Amino acid sequence: MYYNSIIGGNSNYIEEGYGMGIFGGSSNQITFRGHASSYSFIGGGESNNINGSDHSSIIGGQSNTIQNFSYSTNFEVNVIIGGVTNRLSNTNPTPAFGYNTIIGGSSSDITELNNPTSVYFNSIIGGDDNHISDSNNSSILGGESNQITGNNGIALFSDTIVGGSGNQIDRKSTCLNSSHI
């Protein structure tokens, strides 16, 4: 464990890894989960947690989580900026989970649920209760209770929901040549 810093704040904690930093805030944590969270950063906020994700950041907000539940070695470069109770996480040892971003909003998540080959380059910008799972290159821009969902280990690709409420793009079968509008 080298080159880690906690500057200011209250009850912040860093465990196992290299080049990590927490700057201000309260009860923020960067921790080890079978894989270090090296070169990760939390800037302020309260009760934010990065667990097992390299090169990842949480900037402000409250109770936001970047969580590598399955000890994946390619869980990296994930970002949450502000908001409340937003989450980036996996449940299986996905070969690749990274470059996912949530900006603001509340209770939204980007997750791996059904073991696709990757969950990469997704974003949720604002809104409440929006969800992207088992997808790549997909976005939800605002709105409420919208979701983009792959299934059966097959990821969706390049889908977008712009605003609204209760909108859904999903794959409920193993069909590889479907299109969603």
Side-chain angles (χ1 to χ4, degrees):
M1 194 163 111
Y2 302 98
Y3 315 115
N4 299 309
S5 300
I6 295 176
I7 299 174
N10 179 46
S11 300
N12 294 311
Y13 176 75
I14 292 176
E15 171 189 68
E16 189 90 27
Y18 303 95
M20 299 178 292
I22 297 176
F23 298 93
S26 177
S27 302
N28 295 306
Q29 296 185 27
I30 302 175
T31 57
F32 180 87
R33 180 159 181 98
H35 182 71
S37 297
S38 294
Y39 310 107
S40 291
F41 166 80
I42 296 176
E46 180 180 6
S47 301
N48 295 309
N49 185 9
I50 297 174
N51 193 331
S53 183
D54 286 340
H55 301 93
S56 296
S57 300
I58 297 176
I59 314 292
Q62 180 179 12
S63 301
N64 293 308
T65 303
I66 299 173
Q67 177 76 51
N68 182 356
F69 281 112
S70 67
Y71 311 107
S72 175
T73 57
N74 289 321
F75 194 97
E76 60 190 357
V77 194
N78 295 293
V79 177
I80 297 175
I81 300 173
V84 178
T85 62
N86 293 310
R87 179 173 56 110
L88 301 170
S89 67
N90 62 357
T91 56
N92 295 296
T94 306
F97 187 106
Y99 305 93
N100 297 297
T101 303
I102 297 176
I103 299 174
S106 65
S107 303
S108 295
D109 58 52
I110 298 172
T111 59
E112 172 279 320
L113 298 173
N114 296 301
N115 208 20
T117 56
S118 64
V119 177
Y120 261 163
F121 303 111
N122 297 295
S123 60
I124 296 175
I125 300 175
D128 177 52
D129 193 36
N130 292 312
H131 309 279
I132 296 174
S133 63
D134 298 346
S135 188
N136 291 286
N137 305 307
S138 294
S139 298
I140 297 176
L141 308 175
E144 177 180 18
S145 301
N146 296 308
Q147 58 184 344
I148 297 172
T149 308
N151 200 356
N152 296 327
I154 300 171
L156 291 175
F157 291 91
S158 303
D159 294 300
T160 302
I161 296 174
V162 180
S165 178
N167 296 305
Q168 184 172 349
I169 298 172
D170 66 13
R171 172 171 280 138
K172 294 196 181 270
S173 69
T174 57
C175 175
L176 296 175
N177 294 318
S178 64
S179 64
H180 302 281
I181 298 175

